[in-house]
Amino acid sequence: MSKIYLTTAIPYVNGAPHIGHAMDYLIADTFARYQKERGNEVRFQVGTDEHGNKNYKKAEKLGIPIQQFADENSAKFKEFIKKLGVEYTDFIRTTDKDHERRCQEIWKRLGDHIYRDSYEGWYCEGCERFVTQKEYDENGGTCPDHNKPYDKLKEDNYYLRISDFKGEIKRAIEDGAMQILPEFRAREVLRLLEDSPDVSISRPAEHLPWGVPVPDDDSQVMYVWVDALANYITVLGYPEKDISDYWPATAQFVGKDILRFHAIIWPAILLSCGLPLPKTICSHGFILANGQKMSKSIGNVVDPIEVLDSKGLSAFRYYFLRHADSFADSDFTWEKYNSAYNNELANDLGNLVQRLANLCKKQDLPGRDYQPKRDSEYETIMDSFYFSRAFDYIWDKVQGLNREIDNKKPWELAKDADRHTELVMILEEMADELLQIAYLLKPFLPDVSEAISATFANEKILPPTTPLFPKDK
Ligand code: MSP
């Protein structure tokens, strides 16, 4: 048994969860369940990122006290994560007092790698990121992700000397000690790293009072990304506790937009603290709505609760784990969602369960005592974090079993009393195949997997009283 530590990005609390936020949780939860199925012990962090400009300004705009605003939205994320059926172990808020105190301890460990300087340049509030002149010029002064002009900043900050760590980070990426997925993003990161200047890691409190105070300097608060990244270890109790059972993390799940923070600033902080780098950083693509980036101004933001409520959790998990490619951008439309539900979940799988269980029931077959088999092809895909592909692999088996039923026509055999033994054998084999599919499905769709087992592995094989995926939903 190994100890596994998985982390997810902690969202800002400047609004309610949207559909894109589901990706980190679903992917991490699937991997967590897969690891638990193999007998490993999993620690799994989630949480909310509550400091910084973005949250502060939004609360100000709405006229809500910032802590109250953070409390309300953090609670919405907690509720959302619960609704997704995510089996996390730790929920961290960056306004937790323990977190703040531990961040200050981490800051002290940055030691000689910090220096003071003045910053005159650009900042994107949407990204919470200092922007170089080169990027400013390339983007014509407007952030392409947030469609907002960059802010001009002129202030005194503390800086972290990234140049002290470039060589080590580069080596770790190149030799795979810190694996970055997908691979083409690793190459992107290496290019960014080469050009990466030292980064500013604080903001003057007079410009932004909402942050963790820099130790021994009340005039500065920590840059929100320093405080946010630190969550991955403060949640484990660093530095008071020995975290070596869980750190380095087995995998850190993040969206493509924030990979750069995780692959450059975060390793620099860890190395300053003398801590090892995470084993894998897995970055997923974006969920688009009707082919476009979701944005409040376009008015195409999809409410995940509406999607969840329309066809239930298993349909939600199915769509975003199979039809959202684990690494590339993917589209959500209601049309695609409904079609995946009707044609794949209801027809391919729901009907299969119903059909096979009915055929078995007619022969009064007892439930199967089936021991699932480990499947090396499936495990290789899961171990490469390509979950949407692993799901395709399972679906091939679902479709294969449908074809097998169509070809072997057990209902024909049932008409011939002399072929009863043959019929029973075929049905038993198929029931076992479906139980094997249920086993492979377990990390993705735990409820569906359970329902299949209840149908085929109880005392008698009996079809579910209501279909798994009713058509009229
Ligand atoms: N607060 C930072 C993360 C700090 S982690 C130490 C942040 N928050 S966020 O709310 O903007 O994003 C949270 C997660 O959701 C990130 O992994 C981000 O990539 C992901 N997504 C945000 N919009 C998304 C889509 N439209 N699609 C898929 N994932 C998206 O960044």
Short mmCIF file of all heavy atoms in Angstrom, two decimals, residues 327-387:
data_model
loop_
_atom_site.label_atom_id
_atom_site.label_comp_id
_atom_site.label_asym_id
_atom_site.label_seq_id
_atom_site.Cartn_x
_atom_site.Cartn_y
_atom_site.Cartn_z
N PHE A 327 -6.97 16.54 -21.63
CA PHE A 327 -5.91 17.54 -21.79
C PHE A 327 -6.26 18.72 -22.71
O PHE A 327 -5.72 19.80 -22.54
CB PHE A 327 -4.65 16.86 -22.33
CG PHE A 327 -4.08 15.83 -21.38
CD1 PHE A 327 -3.92 14.51 -21.76
CD2 PHE A 327 -3.72 16.19 -20.09
CE1 PHE A 327 -3.41 13.56 -20.87
CE2 PHE A 327 -3.21 15.26 -19.19
CZ PHE A 327 -3.06 13.95 -19.58
N ALA A 328 -7.16 18.50 -23.66
CA ALA A 328 -7.44 19.57 -24.62
C ALA A 328 -8.71 20.33 -24.25
O ALA A 328 -9.47 19.88 -23.40
CB ALA A 328 -7.60 18.96 -26.02
N ASP A 329 -8.95 21.46 -24.88
CA ASP A 329 -10.20 22.19 -24.67
C ASP A 329 -11.36 21.35 -25.21
O ASP A 329 -11.21 20.63 -26.19
CB ASP A 329 -10.19 23.52 -25.44
CG ASP A 329 -9.23 24.52 -24.82
OD1 ASP A 329 -8.70 24.24 -23.73
OD2 ASP A 329 -9.03 25.59 -25.42
N SER A 330 -12.51 21.48 -24.58
CA SER A 330 -13.67 20.70 -25.01
C SER A 330 -14.91 21.55 -24.87
O SER A 330 -14.97 22.45 -24.05
CB SER A 330 -13.83 19.45 -24.16
OG SER A 330 -12.65 18.70 -24.16
N ASP A 331 -15.88 21.17 -25.68
CA ASP A 331 -17.06 21.99 -25.76
C ASP A 331 -18.23 21.41 -24.95
O ASP A 331 -18.42 20.20 -24.94
CB ASP A 331 -17.46 22.07 -27.24
CG ASP A 331 -18.35 23.25 -27.52
OD1 ASP A 331 -18.32 24.22 -26.73
OD2 ASP A 331 -19.07 23.20 -28.53
N PHE A 332 -18.98 22.29 -24.32
CA PHE A 332 -20.25 21.86 -23.74
C PHE A 332 -21.37 22.55 -24.50
O PHE A 332 -21.35 23.76 -24.68
CB PHE A 332 -20.35 22.25 -22.26
CG PHE A 332 -21.72 21.98 -21.69
CD1 PHE A 332 -22.02 20.74 -21.14
CD2 PHE A 332 -22.73 22.93 -21.76
CE1 PHE A 332 -23.29 20.46 -20.66
CE2 PHE A 332 -24.01 22.66 -21.28
CZ PHE A 332 -24.28 21.42 -20.73
N THR A 333 -22.34 21.76 -24.96
CA THR A 333 -23.60 22.36 -25.43
C THR A 333 -24.69 21.45 -24.88
O THR A 333 -24.46 20.25 -24.67
CB THR A 333 -23.73 22.39 -26.97
OG1 THR A 333 -23.83 21.03 -27.44
CG2 THR A 333 -22.57 23.08 -27.66
N TRP A 334 -25.85 21.99 -24.69
CA TRP A 334 -26.95 21.18 -24.18
C TRP A 334 -27.28 20.06 -25.16
O TRP A 334 -27.63 18.95 -24.77
CB TRP A 334 -28.19 22.04 -23.91
CG TRP A 334 -28.07 22.77 -22.61
CD1 TRP A 334 -27.74 24.08 -22.42
CD2 TRP A 334 -28.24 22.21 -21.29
NE1 TRP A 334 -27.70 24.36 -21.08
CE2 TRP A 334 -28.00 23.24 -20.37
CE3 TRP A 334 -28.57 20.93 -20.81
CZ2 TRP A 334 -28.09 23.04 -18.98
CZ3 TRP A 334 -28.65 20.74 -19.44
CH2 TRP A 334 -28.42 21.78 -18.55
N GLU A 335 -27.14 20.38 -26.45
CA GLU A 335 -27.44 19.38 -27.47
C GLU A 335 -26.51 18.17 -27.33
O GLU A 335 -26.96 17.02 -27.34
CB GLU A 335 -27.24 20.05 -28.83
CG GLU A 335 -28.06 19.44 -29.91
CD GLU A 335 -27.72 20.10 -31.23
OE1 GLU A 335 -27.25 21.25 -31.25
OE2 GLU A 335 -27.91 19.42 -32.26
N LYS A 336 -25.22 18.46 -27.18
CA LYS A 336 -24.25 17.35 -27.03
C LYS A 336 -24.50 16.59 -25.73
O LYS A 336 -24.36 15.37 -25.68
CB LYS A 336 -22.82 17.90 -27.00
CG LYS A 336 -22.33 18.37 -28.34
CD LYS A 336 -20.87 18.81 -28.25
CE LYS A 336 -20.43 19.40 -29.56
NZ LYS A 336 -19.19 20.15 -29.47
N TYR A 337 -24.87 17.35 -24.71
CA TYR A 337 -25.10 16.73 -23.41
C TYR A 337 -26.29 15.77 -23.49
O TYR A 337 -26.21 14.61 -23.06
CB TYR A 337 -25.35 17.83 -22.37
CG TYR A 337 -25.32 17.33 -20.95
CD1 TYR A 337 -24.13 16.86 -20.40
CD2 TYR A 337 -26.46 17.35 -20.15
CE1 TYR A 337 -24.08 16.41 -19.08
CE2 TYR A 337 -26.42 16.90 -18.83
CZ TYR A 337 -25.22 16.44 -18.31
OH TYR A 337 -25.17 16.00 -17.01
N ASN A 338 -27.37 16.24 -24.08
CA ASN A 338 -28.58 15.41 -24.18
C ASN A 338 -28.33 14.21 -25.08
O ASN A 338 -28.81 13.11 -24.81
CB ASN A 338 -29.75 16.24 -24.73
CG ASN A 338 -30.18 17.29 -23.71
OD1 ASN A 338 -29.97 17.12 -22.51
ND2 ASN A 338 -30.75 18.39 -24.18
N SER A 339 -27.56 14.44 -26.14
CA SER A 339 -27.32 13.33 -27.05
C SER A 339 -26.44 12.27 -26.37
O SER A 339 -26.67 11.06 -26.52
CB SER A 339 -26.71 13.89 -28.33
OG SER A 339 -25.81 13.00 -28.87
N ALA A 340 -25.44 12.70 -25.60
CA ALA A 340 -24.59 11.72 -24.89
C ALA A 340 -25.44 10.94 -23.90
O ALA A 340 -25.29 9.72 -23.75
CB ALA A 340 -23.46 12.44 -24.15
N TYR A 341 -26.37 11.60 -23.28
CA TYR A 341 -27.23 10.93 -22.30
C TYR A 341 -28.12 9.89 -22.99
O TYR A 341 -28.16 8.72 -22.59
CB TYR A 341 -28.09 11.97 -21.56
CG TYR A 341 -29.02 11.34 -20.54
CD1 TYR A 341 -28.58 11.07 -19.25
CD2 TYR A 341 -30.33 11.00 -20.89
CE1 TYR A 341 -29.41 10.47 -18.32
CE2 TYR A 341 -31.17 10.39 -19.96
CZ TYR A 341 -30.70 10.14 -18.68
OH TYR A 341 -31.52 9.53 -17.78
N ASN A 342 -28.79 10.33 -24.04
CA ASN A 342 -29.76 9.43 -24.68
C ASN A 342 -29.09 8.31 -25.46
O ASN A 342 -29.47 7.15 -25.35
CB ASN A 342 -30.68 10.23 -25.62
CG ASN A 342 -31.65 11.08 -24.82
OD1 ASN A 342 -32.19 10.64 -23.80
ND2 ASN A 342 -31.85 12.32 -25.24
N ASN A 343 -28.08 8.67 -26.27
CA ASN A 343 -27.52 7.65 -27.16
C ASN A 343 -26.50 6.75 -26.48
O ASN A 343 -26.35 5.60 -26.86
CB ASN A 343 -26.84 8.31 -28.37
CG ASN A 343 -27.84 9.11 -29.17
OD1 ASN A 343 -29.02 8.74 -29.21
ND2 ASN A 343 -27.40 10.19 -29.77
N GLU A 344 -25.79 7.31 -25.52
CA GLU A 344 -24.72 6.51 -24.92
C GLU A 344 -25.14 5.93 -23.57
O GLU A 344 -25.16 4.72 -23.39
CB GLU A 344 -23.46 7.36 -24.82
CG GLU A 344 -22.96 7.74 -26.21
CD GLU A 344 -22.04 8.94 -26.25
OE1 GLU A 344 -21.42 9.26 -25.21
OE2 GLU A 344 -21.94 9.58 -27.31
N LEU A 345 -25.49 6.83 -22.65
CA LEU A 345 -25.83 6.29 -21.32
C LEU A 345 -27.11 5.46 -21.37
O LEU A 345 -27.15 4.32 -20.90
CB LEU A 345 -25.97 7.43 -20.32
CG LEU A 345 -24.63 7.98 -19.81
CD1 LEU A 345 -24.84 9.20 -18.93
CD2 LEU A 345 -23.86 6.91 -19.04
N ALA A 346 -28.18 6.03 -21.95
CA ALA A 346 -29.44 5.30 -21.94
C ALA A 346 -29.41 4.12 -22.92
O ALA A 346 -29.69 2.98 -22.52
CB ALA A 346 -30.59 6.24 -22.28
N ASN A 347 -29.00 4.36 -24.17
CA ASN A 347 -29.04 3.27 -25.17
C ASN A 347 -27.92 2.25 -24.97
O ASN A 347 -28.19 1.06 -24.81
CB ASN A 347 -28.92 3.83 -26.59
CG ASN A 347 -30.24 4.36 -27.08
OD1 ASN A 347 -31.26 4.23 -26.38
ND2 ASN A 347 -30.25 4.97 -28.25
N ASP A 348 -26.69 2.71 -24.99
CA ASP A 348 -25.56 1.76 -24.93
C ASP A 348 -25.53 1.02 -23.60
O ASP A 348 -25.43 -0.19 -23.57
CB ASP A 348 -24.22 2.48 -25.09
CG ASP A 348 -24.00 3.05 -26.47
OD1 ASP A 348 -24.81 2.73 -27.37
OD2 ASP A 348 -23.03 3.81 -26.66
N LEU A 349 -25.57 1.77 -22.51
CA LEU A 349 -25.35 1.11 -21.22
C LEU A 349 -26.65 0.74 -20.50
O LEU A 349 -26.82 -0.40 -20.07
CB LEU A 349 -24.48 2.00 -20.31
CG LEU A 349 -24.10 1.37 -18.98
CD1 LEU A 349 -23.30 0.08 -19.17
CD2 LEU A 349 -23.29 2.33 -18.11
N GLY A 350 -27.56 1.72 -20.39
CA GLY A 350 -28.80 1.46 -19.65
C GLY A 350 -29.56 0.28 -20.25
O GLY A 350 -29.96 -0.66 -19.55
N ASN A 351 -29.70 0.30 -21.57
CA ASN A 351 -30.42 -0.79 -22.24
C ASN A 351 -29.71 -2.13 -22.11
O ASN A 351 -30.33 -3.17 -21.97
CB ASN A 351 -30.58 -0.51 -23.74
CG ASN A 351 -31.74 0.43 -23.98
OD1 ASN A 351 -32.47 0.75 -23.05
ND2 ASN A 351 -31.90 0.87 -25.23
N LEU A 352 -28.39 -2.06 -22.16
CA LEU A 352 -27.60 -3.29 -22.04
C LEU A 352 -27.88 -3.97 -20.70
O LEU A 352 -28.12 -5.18 -20.63
CB LEU A 352 -26.11 -2.94 -22.18
CG LEU A 352 -25.09 -4.03 -21.87
CD1 LEU A 352 -25.23 -5.19 -22.85
CD2 LEU A 352 -23.66 -3.48 -21.95
N VAL A 353 -27.85 -3.16 -19.64
CA VAL A 353 -28.09 -3.70 -18.30
C VAL A 353 -29.49 -4.33 -18.23
O VAL A 353 -29.68 -5.46 -17.79
CB VAL A 353 -27.92 -2.59 -17.22
CG1 VAL A 353 -28.39 -3.08 -15.85
CG2 VAL A 353 -26.47 -2.12 -17.16
N GLN A 354 -30.46 -3.57 -18.74
CA GLN A 354 -31.85 -4.00 -18.69
C GLN A 354 -32.05 -5.29 -19.50
O GLN A 354 -32.65 -6.25 -19.06
CB GLN A 354 -32.73 -2.87 -19.26
CG GLN A 354 -34.11 -2.77 -18.69
CD GLN A 354 -34.10 -2.23 -17.25
OE1 GLN A 354 -33.15 -1.56 -16.85
NE2 GLN A 354 -35.12 -2.56 -16.48
N ARG A 355 -31.50 -5.27 -20.69
CA ARG A 355 -31.69 -6.35 -21.63
C ARG A 355 -31.05 -7.65 -21.11
O ARG A 355 -31.69 -8.70 -21.06
CB ARG A 355 -31.00 -5.93 -22.95
CG ARG A 355 -31.29 -6.75 -24.15
CD ARG A 355 -31.22 -5.89 -25.40
NE ARG A 355 -29.85 -5.67 -25.83
CZ ARG A 355 -29.40 -5.98 -27.06
NH1 ARG A 355 -30.20 -6.51 -27.96
NH2 ARG A 355 -28.17 -5.74 -27.39
N LEU A 356 -29.81 -7.55 -20.67
CA LEU A 356 -29.11 -8.74 -20.20
C LEU A 356 -29.74 -9.26 -18.90
O LEU A 356 -29.91 -10.48 -18.74
CB LEU A 356 -27.62 -8.42 -20.00
CG LEU A 356 -26.72 -9.61 -19.72
CD1 LEU A 356 -26.82 -10.65 -20.83
CD2 LEU A 356 -25.26 -9.16 -19.58
N ALA A 357 -30.12 -8.34 -18.03
CA ALA A 357 -30.71 -8.78 -16.76
C ALA A 357 -32.05 -9.48 -17.02
O ALA A 357 -32.37 -10.49 -16.39
CB ALA A 357 -30.90 -7.60 -15.82
N ASN A 358 -32.81 -8.99 -17.98
CA ASN A 358 -34.08 -9.63 -18.32
C ASN A 358 -33.87 -11.04 -18.88
O ASN A 358 -34.59 -11.98 -18.52
CB ASN A 358 -34.85 -8.79 -19.34
CG ASN A 358 -35.81 -7.85 -18.63
OD1 ASN A 358 -36.47 -8.24 -17.66
ND2 ASN A 358 -35.86 -6.60 -19.08
N LEU A 359 -32.88 -11.17 -19.75
CA LEU A 359 -32.59 -12.49 -20.32
C LEU A 359 -32.18 -13.47 -19.21
O LEU A 359 -32.60 -14.63 -19.22
CB LEU A 359 -31.46 -12.37 -21.35
CG LEU A 359 -31.83 -11.69 -22.67
CD1 LEU A 359 -30.57 -11.26 -23.44
CD2 LEU A 359 -32.67 -12.64 -23.54
N CYS A 360 -31.40 -12.98 -18.26
CA CYS A 360 -30.96 -13.85 -17.15
C CYS A 360 -32.14 -14.19 -16.24
O CYS A 360 -32.27 -15.32 -15.76
CB CYS A 360 -29.87 -13.16 -16.32
SG CYS A 360 -28.34 -12.92 -17.21
N LYS A 361 -32.98 -13.21 -16.03
CA LYS A 361 -34.14 -13.43 -15.14
C LYS A 361 -35.05 -14.51 -15.72
O LYS A 361 -35.56 -15.38 -14.99
CB LYS A 361 -34.89 -12.10 -14.97
CG LYS A 361 -36.05 -12.20 -13.99
CD LYS A 361 -36.82 -10.91 -13.94
CE LYS A 361 -38.20 -11.17 -13.38
NZ LYS A 361 -39.16 -10.17 -13.82
N LYS A 362 -35.24 -14.47 -17.03
CA LYS A 362 -36.10 -15.48 -17.67
C LYS A 362 -35.60 -16.89 -17.41
O LYS A 362 -36.37 -17.84 -17.38
CB LYS A 362 -36.18 -15.21 -19.18
CG LYS A 362 -37.15 -14.10 -19.48
CD LYS A 362 -37.60 -14.15 -20.94
CE LYS A 362 -38.43 -12.91 -21.23
NZ LYS A 362 -37.89 -12.09 -22.32
N GLN A 363 -34.29 -17.02 -17.25
CA GLN A 363 -33.71 -18.35 -16.98
C GLN A 363 -33.54 -18.55 -15.47
O GLN A 363 -32.92 -19.53 -15.05
CB GLN A 363 -32.35 -18.51 -17.68
CG GLN A 363 -32.38 -18.28 -19.17
CD GLN A 363 -33.43 -19.13 -19.87
OE1 GLN A 363 -33.62 -20.32 -19.54
NE2 GLN A 363 -34.15 -18.54 -20.82
N ASP A 364 -34.04 -17.60 -14.68
CA ASP A 364 -33.99 -17.70 -13.22
C ASP A 364 -32.55 -17.89 -12.71
O ASP A 364 -32.28 -18.71 -11.83
CB ASP A 364 -34.88 -18.87 -12.77
CG ASP A 364 -35.22 -18.75 -11.29
OD1 ASP A 364 -35.22 -17.61 -10.79
OD2 ASP A 364 -35.46 -19.79 -10.65
N LEU A 365 -31.62 -17.12 -13.30
CA LEU A 365 -30.20 -17.33 -12.95
C LEU A 365 -29.86 -16.65 -11.62
O LEU A 365 -30.29 -15.53 -11.36
CB LEU A 365 -29.29 -16.74 -14.04
CG LEU A 365 -29.32 -17.39 -15.41
CD1 LEU A 365 -28.22 -16.82 -16.29
CD2 LEU A 365 -29.17 -18.90 -15.30
N PRO A 366 -29.07 -17.32 -10.80
CA PRO A 366 -28.60 -16.70 -9.55
C PRO A 366 -27.55 -15.64 -9.86
O PRO A 366 -26.93 -15.67 -10.93
CB PRO A 366 -27.97 -17.86 -8.78
CG PRO A 366 -27.59 -18.86 -9.82
CD PRO A 366 -28.56 -18.70 -10.96
N GLY A 367 -27.34 -14.72 -8.92
CA GLY A 367 -26.33 -13.68 -9.11
C GLY A 367 -24.95 -14.29 -9.22
O GLY A 367 -24.70 -15.40 -8.74
N ARG A 368 -24.04 -13.59 -9.87
CA ARG A 368 -22.71 -14.12 -10.13
C ARG A 368 -21.77 -13.79 -8.98
O ARG A 368 -21.83 -12.71 -8.39
CB ARG A 368 -22.13 -13.49 -11.42
CG ARG A 368 -23.00 -13.66 -12.63
CD ARG A 368 -23.02 -15.07 -13.11
NE ARG A 368 -21.69 -15.54 -13.48
CZ ARG A 368 -21.31 -16.82 -13.42
NH1 ARG A 368 -22.14 -17.74 -12.98
NH2 ARG A 368 -20.09 -17.17 -13.78
N ASP A 369 -20.87 -14.75 -8.74
CA ASP A 369 -19.85 -14.50 -7.74
C ASP A 369 -18.58 -14.19 -8.52
O ASP A 369 -17.70 -15.03 -8.68
CB ASP A 369 -19.69 -15.76 -6.89
CG ASP A 369 -18.62 -15.58 -5.83
OD1 ASP A 369 -18.26 -14.42 -5.57
OD2 ASP A 369 -18.15 -16.60 -5.28
N TYR A 370 -18.52 -12.98 -9.07
CA TYR A 370 -17.44 -12.67 -10.03
C TYR A 370 -16.33 -11.85 -9.37
O TYR A 370 -16.59 -10.85 -8.71
CB TYR A 370 -18.03 -11.88 -11.21
CG TYR A 370 -16.97 -11.42 -12.18
CD1 TYR A 370 -16.37 -12.34 -13.04
CD2 TYR A 370 -16.57 -10.09 -12.22
CE1 TYR A 370 -15.38 -11.94 -13.92
CE2 TYR A 370 -15.57 -9.68 -13.10
CZ TYR A 370 -14.98 -10.60 -13.96
OH TYR A 370 -14.01 -10.20 -14.81
N GLN A 371 -15.11 -12.29 -9.54
CA GLN A 371 -13.95 -11.53 -9.03
C GLN A 371 -13.36 -10.71 -10.17
O GLN A 371 -12.83 -11.29 -11.12
CB GLN A 371 -12.86 -12.49 -8.50
CG GLN A 371 -13.22 -13.22 -7.22
CD GLN A 371 -13.70 -12.27 -6.13
OE1 GLN A 371 -13.07 -11.24 -5.87
NE2 GLN A 371 -14.83 -12.58 -5.51
N PRO A 372 -13.47 -9.38 -10.10
CA PRO A 372 -12.94 -8.56 -11.21
C PRO A 372 -11.45 -8.83 -11.43
O PRO A 372 -10.72 -9.14 -10.49
CB PRO A 372 -13.14 -7.11 -10.72
CG PRO A 372 -14.04 -7.19 -9.56
CD PRO A 372 -14.01 -8.56 -9.01
N LYS A 373 -11.07 -8.68 -12.70
CA LYS A 373 -9.66 -8.91 -13.04
C LYS A 373 -8.96 -7.58 -13.29
O LYS A 373 -9.56 -6.68 -13.88
CB LYS A 373 -9.57 -9.75 -14.33
CG LYS A 373 -9.98 -11.19 -14.10
CD LYS A 373 -9.60 -12.03 -15.31
CE LYS A 373 -10.70 -12.23 -16.32
NZ LYS A 373 -12.01 -12.61 -15.91
N ARG A 374 -7.72 -7.46 -12.84
CA ARG A 374 -6.98 -6.24 -13.17
C ARG A 374 -6.72 -6.23 -14.68
O ARG A 374 -6.52 -7.28 -15.29
CB ARG A 374 -5.69 -6.17 -12.37
CG ARG A 374 -6.01 -5.79 -10.93
CD ARG A 374 -4.80 -5.59 -10.10
NE ARG A 374 -3.98 -4.47 -10.54
CZ ARG A 374 -3.03 -3.92 -9.77
NH1 ARG A 374 -2.84 -4.38 -8.55
NH2 ARG A 374 -2.30 -2.93 -10.21
N ASP A 375 -6.75 -5.04 -15.26
CA ASP A 375 -6.65 -4.93 -16.71
C ASP A 375 -5.47 -4.01 -17.01
O ASP A 375 -5.53 -2.80 -16.76
CB ASP A 375 -7.98 -4.33 -17.22
CG ASP A 375 -7.98 -4.10 -18.71
OD1 ASP A 375 -6.92 -3.80 -19.28
OD2 ASP A 375 -9.07 -4.18 -19.32
N SER A 376 -4.40 -4.59 -17.54
CA SER A 376 -3.16 -3.81 -17.66
C SER A 376 -3.29 -2.68 -18.69
O SER A 376 -2.70 -1.61 -18.53
CB SER A 376 -1.98 -4.70 -17.96
OG SER A 376 -2.21 -5.34 -19.18
N GLU A 377 -4.08 -2.92 -19.74
CA GLU A 377 -4.22 -1.87 -20.75
C GLU A 377 -4.91 -0.64 -20.14
O GLU A 377 -4.49 0.51 -20.30
CB GLU A 377 -5.03 -2.41 -21.93
CG GLU A 377 -4.83 -1.58 -23.17
CD GLU A 377 -5.49 -2.21 -24.40
OE1 GLU A 377 -5.74 -3.43 -24.41
OE2 GLU A 377 -5.75 -1.44 -25.34
N TYR A 378 -5.99 -0.92 -19.41
CA TYR A 378 -6.73 0.14 -18.71
C TYR A 378 -5.81 0.86 -17.72
O TYR A 378 -5.76 2.09 -17.66
CB TYR A 378 -7.90 -0.54 -18.00
CG TYR A 378 -8.66 0.24 -16.96
CD1 TYR A 378 -9.63 1.17 -17.33
CD2 TYR A 378 -8.47 -0.01 -15.59
CE1 TYR A 378 -10.39 1.84 -16.37
CE2 TYR A 378 -9.22 0.66 -14.63
CZ TYR A 378 -10.17 1.57 -15.02
OH TYR A 378 -10.91 2.23 -14.08
N GLU A 379 -5.06 0.09 -16.95
CA GLU A 379 -4.20 0.71 -15.93
C GLU A 379 -3.12 1.58 -16.57
O GLU A 379 -2.77 2.63 -16.04
CB GLU A 379 -3.57 -0.37 -15.04
CG GLU A 379 -4.63 -1.02 -14.16
CD GLU A 379 -4.08 -1.94 -13.08
OE1 GLU A 379 -2.85 -2.00 -12.88
OE2 GLU A 379 -4.90 -2.61 -12.42
N THR A 380 -2.60 1.15 -17.71
CA THR A 380 -1.58 1.98 -18.38
C THR A 380 -2.18 3.33 -18.76
O THR A 380 -1.56 4.38 -18.58
CB THR A 380 -1.06 1.26 -19.65
OG1 THR A 380 -0.59 -0.01 -19.26
CG2 THR A 380 0.04 2.04 -20.32
N ILE A 381 -3.42 3.31 -19.25
CA ILE A 381 -4.03 4.59 -19.65
C ILE A 381 -4.32 5.43 -18.41
O ILE A 381 -4.06 6.63 -18.38
CB ILE A 381 -5.33 4.37 -20.47
CG1 ILE A 381 -5.11 3.35 -21.59
CG2 ILE A 381 -5.80 5.69 -21.08
CD1 ILE A 381 -6.37 2.97 -22.34
N MET A 382 -4.85 4.81 -17.37
CA MET A 382 -5.16 5.55 -16.14
C MET A 382 -3.87 6.13 -15.54
O MET A 382 -3.85 7.27 -15.08
CB MET A 382 -5.81 4.64 -15.09
CG MET A 382 -7.19 4.16 -15.45
SD MET A 382 -8.43 5.47 -15.58
CE MET A 382 -8.97 5.66 -13.92
N ASP A 383 -2.80 5.35 -15.57
CA ASP A 383 -1.54 5.82 -14.98
C ASP A 383 -0.93 6.96 -15.78
O ASP A 383 -0.07 7.69 -15.29
CB ASP A 383 -0.53 4.66 -14.86
CG ASP A 383 -0.97 3.65 -13.81
OD1 ASP A 383 -1.81 4.00 -12.96
OD2 ASP A 383 -0.50 2.49 -13.85
N SER A 384 -1.39 7.10 -17.05
CA SER A 384 -0.88 8.23 -17.83
C SER A 384 -1.83 9.43 -17.70
O SER A 384 -1.67 10.42 -18.40
CB SER A 384 -0.71 7.82 -19.31
OG SER A 384 -1.99 7.64 -19.88
N PHE A 385 -2.80 9.33 -16.81
CA PHE A 385 -3.73 10.43 -16.50
C PHE A 385 -4.65 10.79 -17.67
O PHE A 385 -5.23 11.86 -17.68
CB PHE A 385 -2.97 11.69 -16.02
CG PHE A 385 -2.18 11.46 -14.77
CD1 PHE A 385 -0.86 11.04 -14.82
CD2 PHE A 385 -2.76 11.67 -13.52
CE1 PHE A 385 -0.13 10.82 -13.66
CE2 PHE A 385 -2.04 11.44 -12.35
CZ PHE A 385 -0.72 11.03 -12.42
N TYR A 386 -4.73 9.88 -18.66
CA TYR A 386 -5.58 10.20 -19.81
C TYR A 386 -6.97 9.59 -19.56
O TYR A 386 -7.35 8.59 -20.16
CB TYR A 386 -4.94 9.68 -21.11
CG TYR A 386 -5.22 10.59 -22.29
CD1 TYR A 386 -4.26 10.83 -23.27
CD2 TYR A 386 -6.46 11.23 -22.42
CE1 TYR A 386 -4.52 11.68 -24.34
CE2 TYR A 386 -6.73 12.08 -23.49
CZ TYR A 386 -5.76 12.30 -24.43
OH TYR A 386 -6.01 13.14 -25.48
N PHE A 387 -7.72 10.23 -18.68
CA PHE A 387 -8.97 9.64 -18.20
C PHE A 387 -10.03 9.52 -19.29
O PHE A 387 -10.78 8.56 -19.33
CB PHE A 387 -9.51 10.43 -17.00
CG PHE A 387 -8.48 10.53 -15.91
CD1 PHE A 387 -7.83 11.72 -15.65
CD2 PHE A 387 -8.13 9.41 -15.18
CE1 PHE A 387 -6.85 11.80 -14.66
CE2 PHE A 387 -7.15 9.46 -14.20
CZ PHE A 387 -6.51 10.66 -13.94
#
